[in-house]
Amino acid sequence: ELNNLKGETLIHDENVTLSKLNESLNNLSETEIYMHLSIDNVSSNKASLTLKDTGVNYSIFEYDFTNNYASINTENTGSNRVKGIFGDYVLGAKKDVLDLEIFIDRGVVEIYINGYNTITAMIYDISPRMNLDVDGNIQINEIEVRKMNSIR
């Protein structure tokens, strides 16, 4: 059923560098997207994906490879309604793999982590402009970003 949400392909690349990935993610302008990101961890302890707008509002999804812990920080989303850091340990996680399926629909982000866990958060006032940061080396196996279709 989720496949029906996937629309036109905006980005699709394999074995891409971190700088090229971030350049592509920073140029997104759609407000409703699906993203698949597949990463092999080489020597990184943490990876973080910042979702931001053109101003000062942002949310940060962070994955701790060492402790298999995923969280999203919504303290700077621009809305006073839902703020905090939400997270949990990822069941069945491997320390060397991070596979994300991300659905962004204006004010909501839903992140499926390695096929086992999900984090959902309200991220008001955020566009899908993104940036991936790591504290070591990773291999980006695949990035796919698509417009998200309406469920109507």
Side-chain angles (χ1 to χ4, degrees):
E1 191 66 33
L2 290 178
N3 282 330
N4 293 335
L5 293 175
K6 299 174 188 175
E8 174 190 344
T9 300
L10 302 172
I11 302 169
H12 186 257
D13 213 340
E14 295 178 358
N15 300 314
V16 64
T17 65
L18 183 60
S19 62
K20 184 176 178 191
L21 171 75
N22 283 331
E23 182 181 328
S24 297
L25 293 177
N26 265 309
N27 290 325
L28 289 173
S29 60
E30 300 296 323
T31 57
E32 298 171 337
I33 65 165
Y34 160 82
M35 180 169 85
H36 175 240
L37 180 61
S38 175
I39 296 172
D40 284 343
N41 182 21
V42 177
S43 66
S44 185
N45 295 315
K46 291 184 181 180
S48 60
L49 184 66
T50 303
L51 301 112
K52 54 190 172 182
D53 66 7
T54 55
V56 297
N57 300 322
Y58 62 92
S59 292
I60 301 172
F61 167 77
E62 185 172 85
Y63 187 77
D64 180 332
F65 287 102
T66 305
N67 297 307
N68 296 327
Y69 190 81
S71 64
I72 189 160
N73 180 334
T74 62
E75 293 180 332
N76 295 295
T77 62
S79 170
N80 290 323
R81 291 178 267 187
V82 181
K83 290 187 181 240
I85 300 173
F86 311 96
D88 203 353
Y89 292 94
V90 177
L91 302 174
K94 299 177 183 175
K95 294 187 185 308
D96 57 348
V97 174
L98 180 59
D99 190 80
L100 302 175
E101 284 194 279
I102 302 171
F103 294 84
I104 300 174
D105 184 4
R106 294 189 182 123
V108 176
V109 61
E110 190 160 13
I111 303 172
Y112 293 83
I113 308 153
N114 293 347
Y116 288 94
N117 293 73
T118 305
I119 290 182
T120 303
M122 303 299 279
I123 55 167
Y124 297 102
D125 305 322
I126 301 291
S127 68
R129 299 168 62 102
M130 294 178 243
N131 192 69
L132 180 68
D133 294 304
V134 294
D135 67 354
N137 293 317
I138 60 168
Q139 168 66 43
I140 301 166
N141 297 321
E142 182 180 17
I143 176 68
E144 176 186 21
V145 179
R146 300 174 99 176
K147 288 183 182 180
M148 207 160 59
N149 293 329
S150 172
I151 59 171
R152 292 185 223 145

